[in-house]
Amino acid sequence: MLQTADPSPPGPGPLVHVVGARPNFVKAAPVVAALRAAGLPQHVVHTGQHYDERMSHIFFRELGLPEPDVDLGVGSGSHARQTAALLTALEDELPERSPALVIVYGDVNSTLAAALTAARLGIPVAHVEAGLRSFDMSMPEEINRRLTDQLSGLLFATSADAVAHLAAEGVPADRIHLVGNPMIDTLTAHLPRFDPQAVRAAYGLPERYAAVTLHRPANVDSAEAAGAAVRALREAAAVVDLVIPLHPRGRAALQAAGLDRVPGVRLLEPLGYVEFMGLLRGAAAVVTDSGGVQEETTVLGVPCLTLRPNTERPVTLTHGTNRLVTPAGLAPALRKALKGGRAAPERPPLWDGRAGARIAGVIARWLEDRGHG
């Protein structure tokens, strides 16, 4: 895979964080805080990819993120339409701010759109959570993360396998920085606020339950996939009660497949960060297709069953509580996980709550080297 040429030198303006979806907010919070502590000027651009209150602005309040300098309000749509709208909006927005550096997070459509727009404008790009690979090009997220890495001049990796992937793709070593996981910074900082009993009381939940999150296209984008997921959850609900905060993506398909009629299933609206993490912390097990939840359960020590054939986060398999399962294998795997109980996982290297500070340090040195310190 070809690596792009070095971008133009940084402009005189601030650092610009582009965020669009709830995983971005969790990853950005410690980076924004560390750069603020370093006295570096910065702006936050919210693309509005997640626009529902429970999927968006509640995270800014709970995580101490500054209110966005602008909310582009792009909203939902197909991958193509959403990305096109993001490109158009960011092409107007970024030149007005003349950024020294555009910082993007994760692998959502906003991530790729911001990286592509900045690269076309000659603005340097930093990618937080670079190098993750599922090697499954049917996943929109895999396309987004691969292309973003090729457009970025600073690549911040959460794990050694991510560093190895970037090196194998020809990314120069001086662009790659192993810094740890900023999502775990946020978890560590807010851990005392994650109260399972408060969540049980607020929603009338049983003492023992498994939490479920599903939103990946492979599980919800077709009637066939949603039907298979619901059949698997029906079998799982016969093992233990399931609590499912329904992501807007996939809600219609899962409900059309009968999810809301499965005995033992409790459906909730999307939760804010603190409530959601309280739900995970109190769960006997978690069923998910989310990359971030695989990481969070690794640190919380909650058994995690990932309803996917692959993961871009293999460190959660080797150092954590995660296991890949098929729909047919979900119920047996859940029985085994419940029987085994909680483990004391080996936290991956550098998942110590200081990734944001490391990222800020690299960016500060990068600016100094270019005369913008």
mmCIF file of all heavy atoms in Angstrom, residues 306-345:
data_model
loop_
_atom_site.group_PDB
_atom_site.id
_atom_site.type_symbol
_atom_site.label_atom_id
_atom_site.label_comp_id
_atom_site.label_asym_id
_atom_site.label_seq_id
_atom_site.Cartn_x
_atom_site.Cartn_y
_atom_site.Cartn_z
ATOM 1 N N THR A 306 -17.930 -11.469 21.465
ATOM 2 C CA THR A 306 -18.026 -10.590 20.303
ATOM 3 C C THR A 306 -18.636 -11.345 19.141
ATOM 4 O O THR A 306 -18.059 -12.315 18.651
ATOM 5 C CB THR A 306 -16.639 -10.032 19.933
ATOM 6 O OG1 THR A 306 -16.157 -9.244 21.039
ATOM 7 C CG2 THR A 306 -16.712 -9.156 18.699
ATOM 8 N N LEU A 307 -19.806 -10.879 18.718
ATOM 9 C CA LEU A 307 -20.574 -11.557 17.681
ATOM 10 C C LEU A 307 -20.060 -11.137 16.301
ATOM 11 O O LEU A 307 -20.712 -10.430 15.552
ATOM 12 C CB LEU A 307 -22.060 -11.221 17.843
ATOM 13 C CG LEU A 307 -23.077 -12.142 17.166
ATOM 14 C CD1 LEU A 307 -22.963 -13.562 17.698
ATOM 15 C CD2 LEU A 307 -24.489 -11.610 17.367
ATOM 16 N N ARG A 308 -18.845 -11.569 16.010
ATOM 17 C CA ARG A 308 -18.177 -11.263 14.745
ATOM 18 C C ARG A 308 -17.185 -12.375 14.443
ATOM 19 O O ARG A 308 -16.701 -13.039 15.367
ATOM 20 C CB ARG A 308 -17.414 -9.924 14.852
ATOM 21 C CG ARG A 308 -18.287 -8.695 14.896
ATOM 22 C CD ARG A 308 -17.501 -7.438 15.215
ATOM 23 N NE ARG A 308 -16.252 -7.329 14.484
ATOM 24 C CZ ARG A 308 -15.357 -6.373 14.685
ATOM 25 N NH1 ARG A 308 -15.574 -5.443 15.611
ATOM 26 N NH2 ARG A 308 -14.247 -6.326 13.991
ATOM 27 N N PRO A 309 -16.823 -12.542 13.159
ATOM 28 C CA PRO A 309 -15.826 -13.560 12.819
ATOM 29 C C PRO A 309 -14.398 -13.085 13.008
ATOM 30 O O PRO A 309 -13.452 -13.864 12.885
ATOM 31 C CB PRO A 309 -16.112 -13.844 11.342
ATOM 32 C CG PRO A 309 -16.670 -12.558 10.820
ATOM 33 C CD PRO A 309 -17.465 -11.970 11.965
ATOM 34 N N ASN A 310 -14.204 -11.784 13.294
ATOM 35 C CA ASN A 310 -12.859 -11.231 13.410
ATOM 36 C C ASN A 310 -12.913 -10.019 14.332
ATOM 37 O O ASN A 310 -13.987 -9.520 14.664
ATOM 38 C CB ASN A 310 -12.317 -10.824 12.030
ATOM 39 C CG ASN A 310 -13.313 -9.943 11.272
ATOM 40 O OD1 ASN A 310 -13.763 -8.925 11.774
ATOM 41 N ND2 ASN A 310 -13.671 -10.352 10.066
ATOM 42 N N THR A 311 -11.736 -9.556 14.719
ATOM 43 C CA THR A 311 -11.654 -8.315 15.484
ATOM 44 C C THR A 311 -10.380 -7.571 15.112
ATOM 45 O O THR A 311 -9.343 -8.188 14.856
ATOM 46 C CB THR A 311 -11.683 -8.569 17.008
ATOM 47 O OG1 THR A 311 -11.571 -7.297 17.678
ATOM 48 C CG2 THR A 311 -10.543 -9.471 17.463
ATOM 49 N N GLU A 312 -10.497 -6.251 15.044
ATOM 50 C CA GLU A 312 -9.321 -5.401 14.817
ATOM 51 C C GLU A 312 -8.586 -5.132 16.117
ATOM 52 O O GLU A 312 -7.587 -4.417 16.115
ATOM 53 C CB GLU A 312 -9.741 -4.083 14.151
ATOM 54 C CG GLU A 312 -10.634 -3.187 14.972
ATOM 55 C CD GLU A 312 -12.081 -3.674 15.031
ATOM 56 O OE1 GLU A 312 -12.448 -4.594 14.263
ATOM 57 O OE2 GLU A 312 -12.841 -3.141 15.864
ATOM 58 N N ARG A 313 -9.071 -5.720 17.203
ATOM 59 C CA ARG A 313 -8.459 -5.527 18.520
ATOM 60 C C ARG A 313 -8.054 -6.879 19.118
ATOM 61 O O ARG A 313 -8.593 -7.298 20.148
ATOM 62 C CB ARG A 313 -9.432 -4.786 19.438
ATOM 63 C CG ARG A 313 -9.690 -3.337 18.985
ATOM 64 C CD ARG A 313 -10.917 -2.779 19.672
ATOM 65 N NE ARG A 313 -11.052 -1.339 19.487
ATOM 66 C CZ ARG A 313 -11.624 -0.756 18.431
ATOM 67 N NH1 ARG A 313 -12.115 -1.501 17.438
ATOM 68 N NH2 ARG A 313 -11.708 0.566 18.352
ATOM 69 N N PRO A 314 -7.124 -7.575 18.494
ATOM 70 C CA PRO A 314 -6.743 -8.904 19.005
ATOM 71 C C PRO A 314 -6.135 -8.865 20.399
ATOM 72 O O PRO A 314 -6.119 -9.879 21.095
ATOM 73 C CB PRO A 314 -5.738 -9.409 17.971
ATOM 74 C CG PRO A 314 -5.201 -8.171 17.309
ATOM 75 C CD PRO A 314 -6.363 -7.219 17.279
ATOM 76 N N VAL A 315 -5.648 -7.697 20.830
ATOM 77 C CA VAL A 315 -5.087 -7.594 22.174
ATOM 78 C C VAL A 315 -6.159 -7.888 23.229
ATOM 79 O O VAL A 315 -5.845 -8.330 24.332
ATOM 80 C CB VAL A 315 -4.449 -6.200 22.388
ATOM 81 C CG1 VAL A 315 -5.502 -5.099 22.479
ATOM 82 C CG2 VAL A 315 -3.540 -6.186 23.600
ATOM 83 N N THR A 316 -7.441 -7.685 22.879
ATOM 84 C CA THR A 316 -8.507 -8.011 23.835
ATOM 85 C C THR A 316 -8.720 -9.513 23.950
ATOM 86 O O THR A 316 -9.321 -9.976 24.929
ATOM 87 C CB THR A 316 -9.835 -7.343 23.441
ATOM 88 O OG1 THR A 316 -10.293 -7.879 22.190
ATOM 89 C CG2 THR A 316 -9.675 -5.833 23.324
ATOM 90 N N LEU A 317 -8.253 -10.263 22.975
ATOM 91 C CA LEU A 317 -8.313 -11.725 23.044
ATOM 92 C C LEU A 317 -7.142 -12.283 23.835
ATOM 93 O O LEU A 317 -7.286 -13.235 24.601
ATOM 94 C CB LEU A 317 -8.314 -12.327 21.639
ATOM 95 C CG LEU A 317 -9.417 -11.884 20.677
ATOM 96 C CD1 LEU A 317 -9.194 -12.486 19.292
ATOM 97 C CD2 LEU A 317 -10.793 -12.269 21.197
ATOM 98 N N THR A 318 -5.960 -11.679 23.661
ATOM 99 C CA THR A 318 -4.746 -12.207 24.292
ATOM 100 C C THR A 318 -4.529 -11.664 25.698
ATOM 101 O O THR A 318 -3.938 -12.341 26.542
ATOM 102 C CB THR A 318 -3.513 -11.876 23.433
ATOM 103 O OG1 THR A 318 -3.438 -10.453 23.242
ATOM 104 C CG2 THR A 318 -3.592 -12.570 22.089
ATOM 105 N N HIS A 319 -4.999 -10.440 25.967
ATOM 106 C CA HIS A 319 -4.758 -9.811 27.264
ATOM 107 C C HIS A 319 -6.040 -9.557 28.048
ATOM 108 O O HIS A 319 -5.979 -9.058 29.168
ATOM 109 C CB HIS A 319 -4.042 -8.461 27.088
ATOM 110 C CG HIS A 319 -2.624 -8.580 26.686
ATOM 111 N ND1 HIS A 319 -2.230 -9.017 25.439
ATOM 112 C CD2 HIS A 319 -1.471 -8.333 27.361
ATOM 113 C CE1 HIS A 319 -0.908 -9.012 25.368
ATOM 114 N NE2 HIS A 319 -0.428 -8.603 26.513
ATOM 115 N N GLY A 320 -7.184 -9.848 27.462
ATOM 116 C CA GLY A 320 -8.433 -9.459 28.090
ATOM 117 C C GLY A 320 -9.408 -10.598 28.265
ATOM 118 O O GLY A 320 -9.034 -11.771 28.379
ATOM 119 N N THR A 321 -10.678 -10.243 28.254
ATOM 120 C CA THR A 321 -11.749 -11.192 28.538
ATOM 121 C C THR A 321 -12.554 -11.534 27.294
ATOM 122 O O THR A 321 -13.593 -12.180 27.386
ATOM 123 C CB THR A 321 -12.696 -10.585 29.594
ATOM 124 O OG1 THR A 321 -13.260 -9.372 29.065
ATOM 125 C CG2 THR A 321 -11.961 -10.281 30.886
ATOM 126 N N ASN A 322 -12.112 -11.099 26.141
ATOM 127 C CA ASN A 322 -12.902 -11.186 24.918
ATOM 128 C C ASN A 322 -12.786 -12.541 24.229
ATOM 129 O O ASN A 322 -11.717 -13.173 24.242
ATOM 130 C CB ASN A 322 -12.457 -10.077 23.951
ATOM 131 C CG ASN A 322 -13.378 -9.930 22.766
ATOM 132 O OD1 ASN A 322 -14.561 -10.264 22.825
ATOM 133 N ND2 ASN A 322 -12.838 -9.432 21.673
ATOM 134 N N ARG A 323 -13.878 -12.955 23.575
ATOM 135 C CA ARG A 323 -13.905 -14.178 22.776
ATOM 136 C C ARG A 323 -14.816 -13.956 21.580
ATOM 137 O O ARG A 323 -15.901 -13.394 21.718
ATOM 138 C CB ARG A 323 -14.422 -15.347 23.618
ATOM 139 C CG ARG A 323 -14.557 -16.648 22.843
ATOM 140 C CD ARG A 323 -15.127 -17.750 23.720
ATOM 141 N NE ARG A 323 -15.416 -18.946 22.952
ATOM 142 C CZ ARG A 323 -16.053 -20.014 23.425
ATOM 143 N NH1 ARG A 323 -16.467 -20.030 24.689
ATOM 144 N NH2 ARG A 323 -16.285 -21.069 22.664
ATOM 145 N N LEU A 324 -14.383 -14.374 20.387
ATOM 146 C CA LEU A 324 -15.207 -14.277 19.186
ATOM 147 C C LEU A 324 -16.199 -15.445 19.150
ATOM 148 O O LEU A 324 -15.829 -16.588 19.446
ATOM 149 C CB LEU A 324 -14.338 -14.312 17.930
ATOM 150 C CG LEU A 324 -13.279 -13.206 17.793
ATOM 151 C CD1 LEU A 324 -12.477 -13.400 16.509
ATOM 152 C CD2 LEU A 324 -13.915 -11.827 17.816
ATOM 153 N N VAL A 325 -17.454 -15.134 18.783
ATOM 154 C CA VAL A 325 -18.465 -16.187 18.703
ATOM 155 C C VAL A 325 -19.314 -16.001 17.442
ATOM 156 O O VAL A 325 -19.436 -14.889 16.919
ATOM 157 C CB VAL A 325 -19.393 -16.192 19.935
ATOM 158 C CG1 VAL A 325 -18.619 -16.505 21.196
ATOM 159 C CG2 VAL A 325 -20.151 -14.868 20.074
ATOM 160 N N THR A 326 -19.904 -17.101 16.983
ATOM 161 C CA THR A 326 -20.871 -17.076 15.886
ATOM 162 C C THR A 326 -22.276 -16.992 16.480
ATOM 163 O O THR A 326 -22.478 -17.274 17.670
ATOM 164 C CB THR A 326 -20.770 -18.344 15.048
ATOM 165 O OG1 THR A 326 -21.116 -19.472 15.880
ATOM 166 C CG2 THR A 326 -19.355 -18.529 14.504
ATOM 167 N N PRO A 327 -23.280 -16.637 15.683
ATOM 168 C CA PRO A 327 -24.649 -16.652 16.218
ATOM 169 C C PRO A 327 -25.035 -18.014 16.793
ATOM 170 O O PRO A 327 -25.624 -18.081 17.881
ATOM 171 C CB PRO A 327 -25.498 -16.282 14.999
ATOM 172 C CG PRO A 327 -24.597 -15.407 14.180
ATOM 173 C CD PRO A 327 -23.233 -16.020 14.331
ATOM 174 N N ALA A 328 -24.672 -19.088 16.101
ATOM 175 C CA ALA A 328 -25.029 -20.420 16.592
ATOM 176 C C ALA A 328 -24.298 -20.765 17.882
ATOM 177 O O ALA A 328 -24.803 -21.526 18.711
ATOM 178 C CB ALA A 328 -24.726 -21.471 15.524
ATOM 179 N N GLY A 329 -23.114 -20.198 18.061
ATOM 180 C CA GLY A 329 -22.322 -20.520 19.245
ATOM 181 C C GLY A 329 -22.520 -19.582 20.418
ATOM 182 O O GLY A 329 -21.896 -19.770 21.467
ATOM 183 N N LEU A 330 -23.402 -18.586 20.260
ATOM 184 C CA LEU A 330 -23.536 -17.574 21.312
ATOM 185 C C LEU A 330 -24.056 -18.164 22.622
ATOM 186 O O LEU A 330 -23.460 -17.945 23.682
ATOM 187 C CB LEU A 330 -24.455 -16.449 20.839
ATOM 188 C CG LEU A 330 -24.774 -15.375 21.890
ATOM 189 C CD1 LEU A 330 -23.506 -14.709 22.394
ATOM 190 C CD2 LEU A 330 -25.743 -14.340 21.319
ATOM 191 N N ALA A 331 -25.171 -18.869 22.577
ATOM 192 C CA ALA A 331 -25.761 -19.368 23.823
ATOM 193 C C ALA A 331 -24.813 -20.310 24.570
ATOM 194 O O ALA A 331 -24.615 -20.145 25.789
ATOM 195 C CB ALA A 331 -27.099 -20.048 23.539
ATOM 196 N N PRO A 332 -24.181 -21.295 23.909
ATOM 197 C CA PRO A 332 -23.220 -22.135 24.639
ATOM 198 C C PRO A 332 -22.057 -21.342 25.214
ATOM 199 O O PRO A 332 -21.613 -21.602 26.349
ATOM 200 C CB PRO A 332 -22.741 -23.127 23.574
ATOM 201 C CG PRO A 332 -23.807 -23.154 22.544
ATOM 202 C CD PRO A 332 -24.388 -21.781 22.529
ATOM 203 N N ALA A 333 -21.562 -20.368 24.453
ATOM 204 C CA ALA A 333 -20.452 -19.550 24.951
ATOM 205 C C ALA A 333 -20.890 -18.714 26.148
ATOM 206 O O ALA A 333 -20.123 -18.501 27.096
ATOM 207 C CB ALA A 333 -19.925 -18.650 23.836
ATOM 208 N N LEU A 334 -22.137 -18.247 26.131
ATOM 209 C CA LEU A 334 -22.650 -17.456 27.242
ATOM 210 C C LEU A 334 -22.762 -18.318 28.504
ATOM 211 O O LEU A 334 -22.396 -17.875 29.601
ATOM 212 C CB LEU A 334 -23.998 -16.861 26.863
ATOM 213 C CG LEU A 334 -24.645 -15.912 27.865
ATOM 214 C CD1 LEU A 334 -23.718 -14.753 28.213
ATOM 215 C CD2 LEU A 334 -25.969 -15.384 27.302
ATOM 216 N N ARG A 335 -23.244 -19.538 28.351
ATOM 217 C CA ARG A 335 -23.314 -20.441 29.511
ATOM 218 C C ARG A 335 -21.929 -20.641 30.128
ATOM 219 O O ARG A 335 -21.759 -20.591 31.347
ATOM 220 C CB ARG A 335 -23.893 -21.794 29.089
ATOM 221 C CG ARG A 335 -25.360 -21.796 28.782
ATOM 222 C CD ARG A 335 -25.901 -23.206 28.639
ATOM 223 N NE ARG A 335 -27.257 -23.179 28.112
ATOM 224 C CZ ARG A 335 -27.573 -23.266 26.832
ATOM 225 N NH1 ARG A 335 -26.602 -23.404 25.924
ATOM 226 N NH2 ARG A 335 -28.833 -23.228 26.443
ATOM 227 N N LYS A 336 -20.945 -20.854 29.262
ATOM 228 C CA LYS A 336 -19.580 -21.073 29.738
ATOM 229 C C LYS A 336 -19.037 -19.830 30.425
ATOM 230 O O LYS A 336 -18.388 -19.915 31.481
ATOM 231 C CB LYS A 336 -18.689 -21.464 28.558
ATOM 232 C CG LYS A 336 -17.257 -21.783 28.953
ATOM 233 C CD LYS A 336 -16.455 -22.251 27.746
ATOM 234 C CE LYS A 336 -15.012 -22.561 28.135
ATOM 235 N NZ LYS A 336 -14.210 -23.010 26.962
ATOM 236 N N ALA A 337 -19.304 -18.666 29.842
ATOM 237 C CA ALA A 337 -18.801 -17.420 30.425
ATOM 238 C C ALA A 337 -19.422 -17.167 31.786
ATOM 239 O O ALA A 337 -18.736 -16.742 32.732
ATOM 240 C CB ALA A 337 -19.092 -16.254 29.487
ATOM 241 N N LEU A 338 -20.709 -17.432 31.920
ATOM 242 C CA LEU A 338 -21.385 -17.220 33.198
ATOM 243 C C LEU A 338 -20.877 -18.186 34.262
ATOM 244 O O LEU A 338 -20.747 -17.822 35.433
ATOM 245 C CB LEU A 338 -22.893 -17.369 33.023
ATOM 246 C CG LEU A 338 -23.571 -16.314 32.148
ATOM 247 C CD1 LEU A 338 -25.026 -16.686 31.908
ATOM 248 C CD2 LEU A 338 -23.470 -14.930 32.774
ATOM 249 N N LYS A 339 -20.591 -19.390 33.840
ATOM 250 C CA LYS A 339 -20.075 -20.388 34.779
ATOM 251 C C LYS A 339 -18.676 -20.015 35.262
ATOM 252 O O LYS A 339 -18.321 -20.194 36.428
ATOM 253 C CB LYS A 339 -20.052 -21.762 34.119
ATOM 254 C CG LYS A 339 -19.640 -22.888 35.052
ATOM 255 C CD LYS A 339 -19.709 -24.234 34.341
ATOM 256 C CE LYS A 339 -19.279 -25.372 35.274
ATOM 257 N NZ LYS A 339 -19.344 -26.692 34.593
ATOM 258 N N GLY A 340 -17.876 -19.465 34.339
ATOM 259 C CA GLY A 340 -16.498 -19.116 34.685
ATOM 260 C C GLY A 340 -16.380 -17.876 35.539
ATOM 261 O O GLY A 340 -15.414 -17.701 36.283
ATOM 262 N N GLY A 341 -17.380 -16.985 35.439
ATOM 263 C CA GLY A 341 -17.348 -15.763 36.245
ATOM 264 C C GLY A 341 -16.324 -14.765 35.734
ATOM 265 O O GLY A 341 -15.784 -14.888 34.630
ATOM 266 N N ARG A 342 -16.044 -13.787 36.557
ATOM 267 C CA ARG A 342 -15.127 -12.715 36.167
ATOM 268 C C ARG A 342 -13.685 -13.140 36.375
ATOM 269 O O ARG A 342 -13.374 -13.881 37.297
ATOM 270 C CB ARG A 342 -15.412 -11.451 36.957
ATOM 271 C CG ARG A 342 -16.787 -10.884 36.670
ATOM 272 C CD ARG A 342 -16.851 -9.440 37.093
ATOM 273 N NE ARG A 342 -18.144 -8.886 36.740
ATOM 274 C CZ ARG A 342 -18.353 -7.590 36.534
ATOM 275 N NH1 ARG A 342 -17.350 -6.749 36.644
ATOM 276 N NH2 ARG A 342 -19.539 -7.151 36.228
ATOM 277 N N ALA A 343 -12.845 -12.632 35.487
ATOM 278 C CA ALA A 343 -11.412 -12.912 35.571
ATOM 279 C C ALA A 343 -10.681 -11.628 35.936
ATOM 280 O O ALA A 343 -11.249 -10.541 35.923
ATOM 281 C CB ALA A 343 -10.903 -13.457 34.244
ATOM 282 N N ALA A 344 -9.421 -11.750 36.245
ATOM 283 C CA ALA A 344 -8.550 -10.592 36.444
ATOM 284 C C ALA A 344 -7.654 -10.499 35.214
ATOM 285 O O ALA A 344 -6.612 -11.147 35.142
ATOM 286 C CB ALA A 344 -7.707 -10.757 37.705
ATOM 287 N N PRO A 345 -8.087 -9.753 34.184
ATOM 288 C CA PRO A 345 -7.334 -9.747 32.925
ATOM 289 C C PRO A 345 -5.981 -9.064 33.079
ATOM 290 O O PRO A 345 -5.771 -8.254 33.985
ATOM 291 C CB PRO A 345 -8.233 -8.946 31.985
ATOM 292 C CG PRO A 345 -9.004 -8.055 32.889
ATOM 293 C CD PRO A 345 -9.227 -8.843 34.149
#
